[in-house]
Amino acid sequence: MSDCANEQKPHVSSRASGVESFKVMDILARANYLQNVEGKDVLHCEVGQPQSGAPAIVAEAATKALTGNPREVMGYTDAFGLMELRTKISDHYEKKYGIVNFDES
């Protein structure tokens, strides 16, 4: 969206460059540029930014994962992710959108 010469763009592969951007994030980037680089007053209406931080239970789990015994709280998962999490995500999409996401075999 922005054509400002001073903005630095990250390197993007040719395959990824074919993927259309999420427009609201383009608007946010432009608004941030105008505010932070050009010093303009910007009224942000493009996305809601969280004001409350992470829920306490999430912060506690993250702290435990980062400071606990690595053999108990961290490690590699299956290449396709944790089956319990995949199942819950699949159930959510099936209930909300009627989409069956993957074969659980």
Side-chain angles (χ1 to χ4, degrees):
M1 173 170 187
S2 175
D3 57 357
C4 297
N6 295 336
E7 288 185 79
Q8 291 187 344
K9 303 286 185 200
H11 173 72
V12 178
S13 72
S14 59
R15 183 175 178 190
S17 67
V19 176
E20 196 167 319
S21 66
F22 185 45
K23 298 301 180 200
V24 74
M25 299 313 286
D26 293 341
I27 295 167
L28 177 61
R30 179 70 174 145
N32 285 338
Y33 179 84
L34 290 170
Q35 184 174 14
N36 299 329
V37 176
E38 295 187 7
K40 303 209 177 193
D41 288 332
V42 175
L43 176 62
H44 288 272
C45 297
E46 65 278 352
V47 294
Q49 293 286 7
Q51 299 295 319
S52 61
I57 192 169
V58 173
E60 291 166 13
T63 299
K64 180 180 178 188
L66 294 170
T67 61
N69 180 346
R71 294 179 188 267
E72 293 177 10
V73 295
M74 297 185 79
Y76 292 110
T77 65
D78 185 339
F80 293 110
L82 300 171
M83 182 56 74
E84 181 181 6
L85 178 59
R86 292 174 57 207
T87 300
K88 287 184 179 187
I89 292 170
S90 179
D91 290 347
H92 168 77
Y93 272 80
E94 187 172 0
K95 287 176 191 169
K96 186 162 183 152
Y97 305 108
I99 299 170
V100 177
N101 290 297
F102 69 91
D103 180 6
E104 295 182 20
S105 57

